[in-house]
Amino acid sequence: MTEGTEKETTPNGWSPDLSVGVDIIDEDHQAFFRLAELLRDVIEGPEEGNDYLIETAINVLEEYVEGHFLREEMAMAAVNYPFLGEHLAAHEAFAAKAHQIAQDYRGGNKDIAGTISGLVERWIVGHIQTIDKQYCGYLTNENVDSRPLIYLSDEDGNELEV
């Protein structure tokens, strides 16, 4: 594979050693890198300072965090994963941090937007390597819901039956 082809198919920061062996979760993780790239492009691109684009990218990130975490948590609960509590705490801490940054941005701290992409990339790499790798062997392609994230909860935010 040539370098140009690899760059087109592999999100910046993703590498095969980050795989957890579950296709849909690996795809979700790769999407975090794409979201970080999107945020960086929006913030540093020719439309620099475009609040609407930045706000949209932040909203997408917040929703994606919620959906991906729900996918993992539903799968871990279904297989009685023994470290579910630790994993939930890590998810809650990151979701709270991302939400706080979004709130700070919406509250007028526009400079904070520049920190989001780096935060996402650093967090996802560290989280996969230290926390997600622990569920390898518990979660498989067969026991993780592979539907699009939108189908994992109903309009009221309640988990759907799998």
Side-chain angles (χ1 to χ4, degrees), residues 5 41 136 162:
T5 305
D41 289 349
C136 290
V162 200

Side-chain angles (χ1 to χ4, degrees), residues 60-114:
V60 169
L61 175 64
E62 282 187 301
E63 288 181 23
Y64 203 82
V65 164
E66 183 179 319
H68 169 68
F69 288 175
L70 178 60
R71 182 191 313 280
E72 281 189 349
E73 293 164 7
M74 287 171 60
M76 288 185 284
V79 300
N80 295 315
Y81 179 63
F83 305 107
L84 178 58
E86 176 185 339
H87 210 110
L88 289 172
H91 282 176
E92 289 170 7
F94 180 73
K97 185 168 189 119
H99 181 71
Q100 184 59 54
I101 289 172
Q103 291 305 105
D104 289 350
Y105 177 81
R106 292 172 186 134
N109 182 358
K110 303 303 182 187
D111 293 336
I112 201 162

Side-chain angles (χ1 to χ4, degrees), residues 15-100:
S15 62
D17 65 310
L18 294 175
S19 174
V20 295
V22 179
D23 296 339
I24 192 65
I25 292 177
D26 285 344
E27 290 172 22
D28 283 356
H29 290 161
Q30 290 175 39
F32 277 107
F33 289 103
R34 287 191 294 274
L35 285 169
E37 266 186 90
L38 171 67
L39 280 160
R40 189 173 18 265
D41 289 349
V42 165
I43 292 163
E44 297 173 0
E47 297 295 321
E48 186 174 341
N50 187 328
D51 288 341
Y52 177 76
L53 290 176
I54 295 170
E55 180 68 31
T56 300
I58 290 171
N59 289 340
V60 169
L61 175 64
E62 282 187 301
E63 288 181 23
Y64 203 82
V65 164
E66 183 179 319
H68 169 68
F69 288 175
L70 178 60
R71 182 191 313 280
E72 281 189 349
E73 293 164 7
M74 287 171 60
M76 288 185 284
V79 300
N80 295 315
Y81 179 63
F83 305 107
L84 178 58
E86 176 185 339
H87 210 110
L88 289 172
H91 282 176
E92 289 170 7
F94 180 73
K97 185 168 189 119
H99 181 71
Q100 184 59 54

